[in-house]
Amino acid sequence: MRKFILLLLFLGSFGMASAQQKAEEALGMQYFQTGDFEKALLIYQKLFNQSKNESFYDPYFTSLLRLKKYDEAEQLVRGQLKSTPGNYMYQIDLGRVLRERGQQEKATEWYNSLINELPKDEYAIRNLATSFYRAEAYDFAIKTLLKGRKTLNDDQVFAFDLLALYKFRKDKPMLIQEYLSVLGTNPQILPQAQNAFSNLFEDNADYDQLKTSLLRRIQKDPQNLAYTELLTWLYIQQKEFEMALKQTFALDHRLQNDGRQVYELSRVLTANKAYPQAIQALDYLTAKGPENRYYIPAKVDLLNVKTYLLTEGKFSRQQLLDLEQEYQSLLKEFGRNAGTVFASRQLANLQAFYLQKMAEAESELEKVLQLPNLSLVIIAETKLELGDIYILNGEIWEAALIYGQVEKQFANEPAGQEAKFKNARLSYFQGDFNWAKAQLDVLKASTSQLIANDALNLRLLISDNLQHETDTNALKLYAKADMLLFKNQTEKALNTLDSINNLFPSNSLADDILMSKARIFIGQANFQAATGPLQQIIENHAYGLWADDALFMLADLYENKLNQPEKAKTLYQKIITDFPGSLYVIEARKRFRNLRGDNQG
């Protein structure tokens, strides 16, 4: 019994001591992290001397250095080296003491001696490099690994350790050389290399540096596909799309491939709106014939790209008719089924919005809705598109009815919320503003951020312009112009917008009218004309809703369409300084730095 009581007392006292030590550890860490090294030192010195636990060594040693107690720090390190001779961590800490004392040459000499005396042992070499990294002596960590390569007579060893260090140091030239070296034997890391370059590179000068080194490598090793694919990727980053295309065509010919790289490039070109080059790539694939695995996808994408190209810029009616014929040919070749629904829907859109063939468009979508095995989502989207076409054809009641069907069938789902928005917009088009506003109030909380934003913007437009009879009458004309835009009748829309100020001078829609006109001109690829209304918003409505939008749109036009980078730079800077809370600030700052040619804030 007595022994049992003694055991309980021992265990209790041990538990109390352990709890006390944990409390001291927590307190020491708090002092250390807040920079109170005097108090941290007292605690860690006690804890280390009591336990010799290495986890207390580092904060103890660092506290001594921060308090400039170099003799005590050196004594501590030498004591550790005496008990564990050859431990690189303590050997490097001896150099840290020399550096902190201001004895840089001695520290460098000491570090170099450690590197020069490295054994022919990969583990020891990596251990020394890691110890240098821990001591923030990054250049010596790199030097250790490079010397280790020579010692082991292996140019590939430590590659990923060096890559990590070069990335951390943002050493672009060495990162380029190391990745190119690794790609010579490990082509599978190409995506990693591309990701590293895109994260680190800041301007074309960086990509030019990569291009120079890469072309040298290709001359020495022309069979390396990783180098060729990296060069294609580089051309895309620099928007040299023709060069990227030539490079990929040459690779496909050389390898007698099935066109995979060409098809992947066509997708990238489309995403970058390089439509002419995308069409070249897709024509190349369709020319391989129906037996090629990319024949059907290329046919599909070719129609999509031609549609983007024609409907985003200036086009002739004959071009649109040719495109219509291509859609009809595709449907004839592959039939109308669940797999070709996309073509039927796009054909209907082309016929309705660009060729004014309303009856044909309605018929095309009605055929889609009769197809078996369609998903509910496709059915909902097709019905919404049919409702849009009813509006174009003046069948307002039919449009409201079909929107209502989708809203009821897909309540609380994205399709149902879009249908509700379209019905509210239809009421707005017709001048029934109060009913439209009531519907839009509900949609402000939509689970779809896009619908919620559209609903909020339209609601604000309506509510801001119902205060006076003049403004309400002006809004009716503005809604009419919006409906004409929806119908793609841009000239009529422009005339209607121009008439608002004539009929209702000093109305509250001045900046909205200017923004609508700018967007029409941009849609027509009439970029010079778009600069006028945007400049008027900036000058006359500097505190209005569209001010920062106008600045960014105008800067983008000057930079990317009108080749006036200095004007663009001035406007980007104005966004940064005058609209610090704008959603455009981050992108404006990035573009401003790029145009300025350096990376200063």
Side-chain angles (χ1 to χ4, degrees), residues 67 187 291 319 578:
L67 295 170
E291 66 280 358
Q319 287 174 311
D578 293 0

Side-chain angles (χ1 to χ4, degrees), residues 420-425 427-428 432-446 451-463:
K420 193 177 190 69
F421 174 75
K422 285 178 177 283
N423 244 334
R425 185 184 61 187
S427 297
Y428 157 73
D432 191 350
F433 300 131
N434 289 325
W435 174 252
K437 191 153 67 79
Q439 300 303 300
L440 295 167
D441 280 334
V442 177
L443 285 168
K444 288 189 298 180
S446 170
I451 293 296
N453 288 342
D454 287 346
L456 179 61
N457 289 335
L458 184 54
R459 188 199 177 283
L460 286 173
L461 173 69
I462 294 171
S463 59

Side-chain angles (χ1 to χ4, degrees), residues 275-289:
Y275 299 135
Q277 292 82 11
I279 289 172
Q280 288 181 57
L282 294 166
D283 279 338
Y284 173 89
L285 291 170
T286 57
K288 286 178 177 282

Side-chain angles (χ1 to χ4, degrees), residues 167-368:
K167 274 191 278 190
F168 179 77
R169 299 286 283 167
K170 295 187 177 180
D171 188 337
K172 298 170 192 175
M174 292 306 298
L175 186 71
I176 289 170
Q177 296 308 319
E178 194 62 35
Y179 263 123
L180 293 183
S181 177
V182 176
L183 283 169
T185 54
N186 292 290
Q188 65 271 16
I189 72 155
L190 178 60
Q192 178 187 324
Q194 292 170 341
N195 187 55
F197 293 144
S198 62
N199 286 334
L200 193 59
F201 287 179
E202 296 164 301
D203 50 37
N204 271 334
D206 292 333
Y207 286 103
D208 286 339
Q209 189 176 9
L210 171 60
K211 187 189 294 182
T212 301
S213 299
L214 183 55
L215 289 172
R216 286 179 189 148
R217 293 272 180 167
I218 290 174
Q219 285 180 339
K220 293 179 182 177
D221 187 6
Q223 301 306 313
N224 191 306
L225 297 184
Y227 292 154
T228 306
E229 289 186 30
L230 181 59
L231 183 60
T232 301
W233 174 85
L234 193 154
Y235 285 137
I236 292 169
Q237 305 313 301
Q238 295 190 295
K239 300 192 182 301
E240 296 181 24
F241 300 123
E242 286 288 348
M243 293 299 295
L245 200 58
K246 288 178 182 177
Q247 186 76 17
T248 307
F249 283 164
L251 181 64
D252 190 70
H253 281 303
R254 193 174 88 197
L255 299 178
Q256 296 185 332
N257 274 351
D258 60 359
R260 178 182 62 83
Q261 288 95 343
V262 177
Y263 185 69
E264 289 175 354
L265 176 62
S266 74
R267 289 296 181 93
V268 174
L269 292 169
T270 302
N272 282 275
K273 296 189 176 183
Y275 299 135
Q277 292 82 11
I279 289 172
Q280 288 181 57
L282 294 166
D283 279 338
Y284 173 89
L285 291 170
T286 57
K288 286 178 177 282
E291 66 280 358
N292 183 267
R293 63 182 293 195
Y294 293 106
Y295 176 76
I296 295 176
K299 276 249 179 183
V300 170
D301 287 358
L302 192 55
L303 285 174
N304 287 334
V305 172
K306 286 183 177 179
T307 302
Y308 297 148
L309 183 62
L310 289 180
T311 57
E312 285 195 1
K314 293 182 177 178
F315 47 82
S316 69
R317 182 171 178 82
Q318 187 56 51
Q319 287 174 311
L320 295 174
L321 289 170
D322 291 343
L323 183 58
E324 179 190 31
Q325 183 59 49
E326 289 189 53
Y327 273 115
Q328 290 170 338
S329 297
L330 183 140
L331 289 169
K332 184 177 180 180
E333 183 176 358
F334 299 108
R336 284 180 171 80
N337 51 62
T340 58
V341 162
F342 75 93
S344 291
R345 290 169 61 189
Q346 289 179 359
L347 172 59
N349 180 277
L350 178 68
Q351 290 172 328
F353 286 91
Y354 295 92
L355 292 170
Q356 289 75 50
K357 294 184 177 183
M358 306 304 173
E360 290 92 330
E362 283 186 28
S363 174
E364 192 65 47
L365 292 185
E366 285 165 356
K367 288 176 186 176
V368 169

